[in-house]
Amino acid sequence: MRDSLLIALYAFAGAAATGLAGAVALRLLRRRSLTASLAVVATVGVVAMLAGTLAVAWAMFLSRHDLTVVTTVVAMAAVVSLATALVLGRWVVARSRELAVAARSFGEGGDFTSPHTPATAELEAVSRELAATSAKLAASRTRERALETSRRELVAWISHDLRTPLAGLRAMAEALEDGVATDPGRYLTQMRTEVERLNGMVGDLFELSRIHAGALPLNPARVSLYDLVGDALAGADALAREHGVRLIGDHVEPVPVDVDGKEMSRVFGNLLVNAIRRTPADGTVAVAAERSADGVVVSVTDGCGGIPEEDLPRVFDTGWRGTHARTPPAGAGLGLAIVRGIVEAHQGRATVSNIPGGCRFEVTLPAAP
């Protein structure tokens, strides 16, 4: 029993010394190629076995011939292990380089294509993660291009819409200043109208900036959709009369919702104004509100003639104002973007779809408990 303990002690001492040296070597080579690390691991394993064997042989006073035989066997094992480690290391390094080249492709704006050469399970997992990241980056680049296009269109349209009333205000101000205005009262009324229009446009821009910044303050309270929709219909009645459009709100259920009444009134008002301006004279704009499996749905149906299918995904984008197929709007393309922002801030969603003769905008809100 004592001899066995001594043999185990000598073998452990020799192997431990080799393992400690190997740990130091791995630390020094931690920034080098994986091939060097594998070579160190293989060498440590063989040398540890050799050190333990030599320590035991020295303790047991083996003959020189026996010691030479043991050393030769271990040396041959060391050569084979080292060669295997080098081959394995070079193979893994080659696969890693192929993966790095493939990863560089999507980093420069392309799509990631996984190497076809078989790799280890870890490298295969990394390849799958890179493929998923590449898909996310591609979607992000697409969204970024769409947002950049919307921003450019918005700047162009806002600049155009601001230039027209400003030019009119300057002309009327010069006429009043020079005393050539035949009807100063009418000029002042028109100037006030233009100022109100500019003020509304600036207010829309400010509201949209708060929505995009996630800083839209909400004060939710329990209100009835019947009251909200009724107020919106009353507010849009004058515009509907001016355009010769009939407003219908016969299918509005008194469903309670927890919303910010002021902001939600703005949502319904924007939808009604948009529908009235898009609907030809003698047309009809219908509003309905009812419960559904998803919550509470408020719909506004107009007679605009429909929206081209390729434009449907962009209806709620900032600055979108339709194509030549629709009647040119009077606004700056901010109303529907504000609608979506306010609705999403209430954990709801805004959608649009075509129907025969027009389109239907729907706002889905969470039902009050």
Side-chain angles (χ1 to χ4, degrees), residues 1-87:
M1 184 65 181
R2 182 173 177 276
D3 292 340
S4 298
L5 291 176
L6 287 175
I7 291 173
L9 181 60
Y10 280 117
F12 176 77
T18 305
L20 182 61
V24 174
L26 286 175
R27 180 174 179 79
L28 295 176
L29 297 173
R30 65 185 183 277
R31 299 186 184 277
R32 298 297 182 89
S33 173
L34 180 62
T35 304
S37 298
L38 289 175
V40 170
V41 172
T43 302
V44 167
V46 176
V47 173
M49 184 175 61
L50 177 61
T53 303
L54 292 177
V56 172
W58 175 78
M60 296 177 64
F61 300 101
L62 293 181
S63 64
R64 182 178 297 275
H65 175 269
D66 293 341
L67 187 58
T68 301
V69 171
V70 171
T71 305
T72 302
V73 171
V74 174
M76 292 301 101
V79 172
V80 174
S81 299
L82 186 59
T84 303
L86 291 175
V87 171

Side-chain angles (χ1 to χ4, degrees), residues 82-311:
L82 186 59
T84 303
L86 291 175
V87 171
L88 177 61
R90 290 177 64 86
W91 181 81
V92 173
V93 168
R95 302 292 81 76
S96 300
R97 288 175 179 171
E98 292 177 359
L99 191 59
V101 171
R104 195 177 300 120
S105 65
F106 83 81
E108 295 173 352
D111 294 327
F112 175 76
T113 302
S114 178
H116 299 294
T117 308
T120 63
E122 290 78 9
L123 291 179
E124 188 65 29
V126 173
S127 180
R128 289 194 298 269
E129 290 297 327
L130 288 175
T133 302
S134 176
K136 293 178 181 178
L137 285 176
S140 177
R141 284 193 292 266
T142 301
R143 289 194 300 270
E144 183 64 26
R145 284 193 291 267
L147 288 174
E148 183 62 26
T149 300
S150 297
R151 281 192 289 266
R152 290 177 180 176
E153 293 176 349
L154 176 62
V155 171
W157 288 330
I158 287 292
S159 300
H160 177 271
D161 290 342
L162 288 176
R163 188 181 297 113
T164 301
L166 287 175
L169 286 171
R170 182 173 62 181
M172 287 184 286
E174 290 175 352
L176 291 172
E177 184 179 14
D178 296 339
V180 297
T182 57
D183 188 354
R186 183 173 64 85
Y187 274 51
L188 291 174
T189 301
Q190 183 63 28
M191 290 176 68
R192 180 180 179 84
T193 301
E194 295 297 335
V195 169
E196 291 295 335
R197 178 184 172 190
L198 290 173
N199 183 67
M201 193 178 301
V202 173
D204 286 345
L205 286 172
F206 180 67
E207 182 83 354
L208 196 61
S209 67
R210 291 196 300 176
I211 290 172
H212 287 170
L216 181 66
L218 295 178
N219 299 300
R222 182 67 57 86
V223 294
S224 172
L225 273 182
Y226 186 86
D227 295 334
L228 288 176
V229 174
D231 292 342
L233 288 170
D237 184 66
L239 182 65
R241 292 175 182 272
E242 179 183 345
H243 286 75
V245 175
R246 294 185 299 274
L247 287 179
I248 299 177
D250 298 335
H251 299 86
V252 179
E253 298 181 6
V255 183
V257 289
D258 291 328
V259 296
D260 186 310
K262 179 182 177 181
E263 296 296 340
M264 201 52 60
S265 294
R266 184 167 192 167
V267 167
F268 298 147
N270 284 358
L271 289 176
L272 284 172
V273 169
N274 178 76
I276 292 170
R277 286 176 175 170
R278 301 292 188 176
T279 301
D282 295 329
T284 301
V285 172
V287 183
E290 58 185 358
R291 291 184 182 271
S292 71
D294 298 331
V296 179
V297 178
V298 180
S299 63
V300 177
T301 305
D302 60 33
C304 67
I307 301 174
E309 292 295 330
E310 62 272 15
D311 287 341

